[in-house]
Amino acid sequence: MASAETPSVPEPKDKETADASTAVDKYSIEAAESLANKALHLPIADAAPIYEQLLAVFPTAAKFWKQYVEAFMTVNNDDATKQIFSRCLLSCLHVPLWRCYIRFIRKVNEKKGAEGHEETRKAFDFMLSYVGSDIASGPVWMDYITFLKSLQALNAVEESQRMTAVRKAYQKAIVTPTHHVEQLWRDYENFENSVSRQLAKGLVSEYQPKYNSARAVYKERKKYVDEIDWNMLAVPPTGSSKEESQWMAWKRLLAFEKANPQRIDTVSANKRIVFTYEQCLMYLYHYPDIWHDYATWHAKSGSMEAAIKVFQRALKALPDSELLRYAYAELEESRGAVQAAKKVYESLLTDGTHNASLAHIQYIRFLRRTEGFEAARKYFLDARQSPNCTYHVYVAYATMAFCLDKEPKVAHNVFEAGMKRYMQEPAYILEYADFLSRMNDDKNIRALFERALSSLPAEASAEVWKSFVQFEQTYGDLASVLKVEQRRKEALFGTVEDGGSALEGSLQDIVSRYSFMDLWPCSSRDLDHLSRQERLSKYISKKLEKPTLPSGPGFVDRGASGLTSTSIGSADIIHPNTSLMVIYDPGQKPGSAGGSSTSAFDDILKVTPPALVAFLANLPAVEGPTPDVDIVLSICLQSNIPAGQKGKSGSMTKQSVPVHAPSVSEVSGSSKSRPMPSGSSYKQTGDRQSGKRKGPDDDDSVTVQSQPLPRDVFRIRQIQRARVTSSQTGSTSYGSAFSGDLSGSTS
């Protein structure tokens, strides 16, 4: 492209349009499309600021660049057009935009004769070197070949050169998998036959396999390309399903190109991969993983300089990405460019990252690797004076001095210096204790725990107490273990971390004392039982102490036994009032509990249908509030439930209900009929209609069993399924507890 003096973009006559859109969301696609449509109907002087605003937010939006440059081409502002093309062409490998560029070049050079033709040819070569491998580049190849054919040859030498140039263009086009590869192949055959049929036979047979391969790859390539939205604007990832699907589509296309399905040479294959990455970044411009993959691929391919350029572009696109900065520094350090890597680390510290302590730590480690221990020590002395320095910097430097430089005294001094600032940090206390444990300094460990626990509030000391107990269990005698455990219970009694556990010892303490790693002194079933008991005991203690449970963020407490228990969940979730819950006791009988519980249960019995009460009396006692559904259905199908009576007061008349468990022979239908235990009789008709069960006193009363079936689809389905099963096996199945019907078959 011809060089020209770069003019400034025309200033707008008024700035109302730009100011009106400042309140719009920066990455709003709807607002951007609206502004672009509005700019189409404005004079170029007024539209230019709008385009600049749009392209500042969407620098890879090829359609906005094309619309912008065409506005200048319409008014024949060639200098501004060249300036815009120089800004967008290499970052927007979009065929329509590049065809707009070639139209501009041809218009500029159409009256320059041979010199203009040469400039146009160079522009075509320049364009094809960047977008010639695009699947939509077929028209570009056709335009190029048409342009070459249109050149006039003054002599035989020029004619030969022209034909050679056309032949080379055809041969490049037919091995490129594009939408027009078949049309290009037919044109190539016609071209060769028009030149020399004898020569055409050999050339066509030579390029036939290459063309077949390109056509096959095109069909596969098209499947991946069709999944991509080419009108998508580059916005930061929001996690939407559309963005994720586009990310996956680009990943699949990149993997396809990296596999080199056409089996072309490495240079050509790498060129296609680069082109695909560049196109991908037009739409996934704000995705750091795409930038990192692109740079890493360059580095693995041996092009380290290209990888560095990609990282530099990535940091301009995503200046707030710490991940890309660390990856870039790592690349520079791996190739021996220490000073370049050092500048990257310094930029992390000076640009004010959100995690300054991590930047300090990584820079100390970098200085230790590249310049030695003394440089790392000097920087640590400066870093600890920083207002955003946290205890992590002390822990990292002390660990490095102890493990790498074999300087335990230096590490000990660093930890002690940190105690003056971070005595209230439980995590720092634990790291210090771990260091002393590796030093086998048990006396100082105990002194550290005592010093820390004397200053830490009870709410923040749970983890320190836990570590103290574990230390005594591992290295202390039995007396010291029992003493520390008791002190822990006293210190945490009544706190949120303790959950209101009792001060006396329990079996959980034995589990904690005599377990090791994943070895336990009991079975998993016993552990589960102890864990439930621990939760129940804490719940009882809370209920006795407080009428209602405290609300707030959830927490997890391992307690003295190390068994995990979960307290109330997040405050954002609505929870039931667990203070009103009653612990389930399978052996408890109605009326055994005093107070309001008994009266409430009696009220339930008063309104419960007699048949349901009799059915519940037949249920066996189970371990838990939820019995087995199969057992319940079996009882429903095999039990004889008589009708109850109601007295004047409305309460249920007590009656003895015989519990009969039929034998296998009785249920399997060994007898045609079976007498009812209650003495009631049934009338059996040919169509198996149900009879009405009558009570001994009120024969004409309507019983519960004679009422219609409940409008519960699930219950009806279960009853019908049981009837079908019993009829297939030839058994006699007595009336359901819900309907009182008699269903059976005689064998």
Side-chain angles (χ1 to χ4, degrees):
M1 182 170 54
S3 61
E5 183 181 355
T6 303
S8 60
V9 177
E11 293 292 335
K13 295 181 180 179
D14 59 79
K15 300 182 179 180
E16 294 181 0
T17 306
D19 295 336
S21 59
T22 54
V24 182
D25 183 14
K26 183 178 180 181
Y27 291 104
S28 173
I29 297 177
E30 292 79 8
E33 297 286 356
S34 177
L35 282 176
N37 292 332
K38 185 177 182 179
L40 281 174
H41 307 288
L42 294 176
I44 186 58
D46 296 333
I50 298 179
Y51 287 123
E52 290 293 334
Q53 178 187 351
L54 287 173
L55 295 171
V57 179
F58 304 101
T60 58
K63 59 181 179 180
F64 291 161
W65 283 110
K66 182 174 180 289
Q67 187 174 323
Y68 189 17
V69 76
E70 284 178 342
F72 279 114
M73 291 173 62
T74 303
V75 296
N76 296 320
N77 191 336
D78 295 345
D79 293 335
T81 302
K82 292 178 182 179
Q83 177 194 8
I84 295 174
F85 275 131
S86 65
R87 292 168 55 191
C88 68
L89 281 180
L90 299 184
S91 60
C92 298
L93 302 184
H94 193 57
V95 170
L97 178 63
W98 280 81
R99 295 189 72 184
C100 180
Y101 159 73
I102 206 67
R103 287 199 306 271
F104 169 73
I105 294 297
R106 296 184 72 171
K107 186 187 73 170
V108 171
N109 295 289
E110 64 181 353
K111 296 181 180 180
K112 294 183 180 180
E115 182 181 356
H117 291 162
E118 183 64 19
E119 290 293 329
T120 303
R121 187 188 63 79
K122 290 180 180 180
F124 266 114
D125 291 338
F126 174 71
M127 177 176 62
L128 290 171
S129 65
Y130 279 93
V131 297
S133 58
D134 194 303
I135 196 172
S137 63
V140 177
W141 286 102
M142 292 181 176
D143 291 344
Y144 182 39
I145 293 171
T146 303
F147 167 75
L148 292 177
K149 290 180 178 179
S150 66
L151 296 178
Q152 295 182 356
L154 301 179
N155 49 52
V157 175
E158 291 182 359
E159 178 65 19
S160 177
Q161 292 176 351
R162 184 178 68 87
M163 299 304 291
T164 302
V166 173
R167 179 177 289 111
K168 288 182 178 180
Y170 268 124
Q171 291 173 353
K172 289 180 181 179
I174 61 177
V175 297
T176 304
T178 64
H179 294 308
H180 298 76
V181 64
E182 295 181 356
Q183 179 63 40
L184 287 167
W185 173 254
R186 290 192 294 268
D187 293 345
Y188 176 59
E189 284 184 319
N190 295 333
F191 167 75
E192 292 292 356
N193 288 323
S194 65
V195 174
S196 172
R197 289 186 174 273
Q198 185 175 3
L199 183 62
K201 186 176 181 180
L203 291 173
V204 169
S205 61
E206 177 185 353
Y207 277 88
Q208 181 78 46
K210 298 179 181 179
Y211 156 71
N212 292 336
S213 176
R215 185 178 60 177
V217 170
Y218 159 72
K219 293 179 180 179
E220 292 296 322
R221 192 185 195 185
K222 186 176 183 297
K223 297 177 183 178
Y224 299 101
V225 172
D226 289 344
E227 297 178 356
I228 295 173
D229 181 9
W230 298 97
N231 293 318
M232 176 181 174
L233 292 178
V235 297
T238 60
S240 66
S241 58
K242 179 181 179 181
E243 291 175 354
E244 291 179 354
S245 64
Q246 288 300 299
W247 181 86
M248 294 176 63
W250 278 109
K251 282 286 188 178
R252 287 191 287 266
L253 180 58
L254 286 167
F256 173 77
E257 295 295 350
K258 289 179 181 179
N260 190 11
Q262 201 171 344
R263 299 297 182 266
I264 55 180
D265 59 279
T266 304
V267 176
S268 301
N270 289 346
K271 192 174 180 180
R272 287 188 185 178
I273 296 172
V274 168
F275 170 77
T276 307
Y277 266 118
E278 292 291 344
Q279 275 199 327
C280 177
L281 288 173
M282 290 174 56
Y283 305 94
L284 305 183
Y285 185 73
H286 297 277
Y287 286 67
D289 60 310
I290 302 296
W291 287 103
H292 179 261
D293 290 348
Y294 188 19
T296 304
W297 174 81
H298 270 305
K300 290 181 178 179
S301 301
S303 182
M304 196 66 67
E305 294 297 330
I308 292 172
K309 291 180 180 179
V310 170
F311 269 125
Q312 291 173 350
R313 289 171 54 195
L315 294 180
K316 290 181 180 179
L318 304 172
D320 297 331
S321 176
E322 295 181 33
L323 282 173
L324 290 177
R325 289 177 185 262
Y326 285 123
Y328 180 33
E330 182 180 273
L331 178 67
E332 294 284 14
E333 184 182 353
S334 65
R335 74 187 191 104
V338 176
Q339 293 302 318
K342 191 173 183 179
K343 290 181 180 179
V344 178
Y345 280 110
E346 290 174 350
S347 67
L348 276 167
L349 297 168
T350 57
D351 291 348
T353 59
H354 75 280
N355 201 340
S357 293
L358 181 60
H360 286 307
I361 293 170
Q362 298 302 332
Y363 191 35
I364 290 173
R365 292 177 175 177
F366 168 76
L367 292 176
R368 170 64 179 78
R369 293 192 302 265
T370 57
E371 299 182 17
F373 173 73
E374 189 62 26
R377 184 186 70 84
K378 289 181 179 179
Y379 183 77
F380 168 72
L381 295 177
D382 294 337
R384 67 176 186 169
Q385 304 298 330
S386 175
N388 52 18
C389 177
T390 62
Y391 70 89
H392 305 84
V393 179
Y394 281 78
V395 174
Y397 181 73
T399 304
M400 184 180 66
F402 175 62
C403 298
L404 298 179
D405 301 307
K406 313 302 179 185
E407 294 285 351
K409 291 184 179 180
V410 174
H412 187 273
N413 293 338
V414 171
F415 273 117
E416 276 298 319
M419 285 292 290
K420 299 176 182 178
R421 297 178 59 178
Y422 309 112
M423 177 71 79
Q424 302 299 319
E425 292 286 350
Y428 184 77
I429 303 300
L430 297 178
E431 291 292 339
Y432 192 6
D434 181 65
F435 163 73
L436 293 175
S437 177
R438 286 188 284 177
M439 292 289 296
N440 200 23
D441 192 354
D442 57 334
K443 294 182 179 180
N444 280 329
I445 293 177
R446 289 188 175 91
L448 172 65
F449 281 129
E450 296 292 350
R451 183 166 43 144
L453 292 171
S454 63
S455 61
L456 282 174
E459 291 77 11
S461 62
E463 289 298 323
V464 180
W465 274 114
K466 177 183 174 183
S467 181
F468 195 9
V469 170
Q470 291 176 348
F471 169 76
E472 291 294 349
Q473 290 175 352
T474 305
Y475 302 105
D477 53 22
L478 183 59
S480 64
V481 172
L482 298 177
K483 181 179 179 181
V484 172
E485 286 182 353
Q486 186 62 27
R487 288 177 58 196
R488 177 191 183 277
K489 291 180 180 180
E490 294 174 356
L492 300 181
F493 181 71
T495 61
V496 177
E497 286 77 8
D498 179 67
S501 61
L503 290 175
E504 63 272 7
S506 62
L507 198 58
Q508 287 93 337
D509 298 333
I510 303 298
V511 174
S512 174
R513 215 171 290 149
Y514 293 98
S515 61
F516 180 76
M517 296 178 66
D518 58 344
L519 303 177
W520 303 88
C522 55
S523 64
S524 59
R525 183 175 181 180
D526 294 336
L527 282 176
D528 185 56
H529 178 67
L530 291 175
S531 179
R532 290 199 302 269
Q533 283 186 335
E534 188 177 21
R535 291 195 296 270
L536 290 174
S537 63
K538 291 182 179 181
Y539 165 73
I540 294 173
S541 300
K542 288 182 180 181
K543 187 175 181 181
L544 293 176
E545 292 177 4
K546 300 178 182 180
T548 58
L549 290 176
S551 61
F555 64 91
V556 177
D557 177 27
R558 289 185 61 88
S561 64
L563 302 177
T564 304
S565 63
T566 305
S567 178
I568 305 173
S570 172
D572 297 334
I573 303 175
I574 300 175
H575 296 276
N577 188 357
T578 55
S579 63
L580 303 178
M581 294 175 62
V582 179
I583 300 176
Y584 174 75
D585 184 5
Q588 186 176 3
K589 297 181 180 180
S592 61
S596 60
S597 300
T598 304
S599 59
F601 188 75
D602 291 339
D603 294 338
I604 296 176
L605 288 178
K606 291 178 182 179
V607 298
T608 304
L612 181 58
V613 175
F615 163 69
L616 294 176
N618 288 335
L619 289 177
V622 294
E623 292 294 334
T626 305
D628 193 333
V629 178
D630 295 333
I631 296 177
V632 176
L633 292 177
S634 176
I635 293 175
C636 291
L637 297 173
Q638 299 176 10
S639 297
N640 173 34
I641 303 176
Q645 293 178 348
K646 290 187 178 180
K648 295 180 180 180
S649 61
S651 61
M652 184 189 71
T653 304
K654 295 184 179 180
Q655 57 182 341
S656 60
V657 181
V659 179
H660 176 72
S663 63
V664 177
S665 61
E666 291 173 338
V667 177
S668 61
S670 58
S671 60
K672 296 183 180 179
S673 63
R674 173 185 169 192
M676 300 302 298
S678 62
S680 301
S681 60
Y682 292 87
K683 293 182 180 181
Q684 217 171 14
T685 60
D687 54 354
R688 296 166 56 189
Q689 293 180 350
S690 60
K692 182 181 295 184
R693 182 182 298 172
K694 298 182 179 180
D697 298 331
D698 49 344
D699 296 339
D700 296 331
S701 61
V702 180
T703 62
V704 177
Q705 285 80 5
S706 64
Q707 296 177 2
L709 284 172
R711 303 304 300 172
D712 189 322
V713 179
F714 175 76
R715 292 183 180 180
I716 295 174
R717 188 186 304 117
Q718 293 292 340
I719 294 171
Q720 292 176 349
R721 186 181 301 170
R723 289 174 178 172
V724 173
T725 304
S726 61
S727 63
Q728 290 177 354
T729 57
S731 61
T732 303
S733 177
Y734 287 91
S736 167
F738 303 107
S739 65
D741 294 342
L742 177 66
S743 61
S745 61
T746 55
S747 56

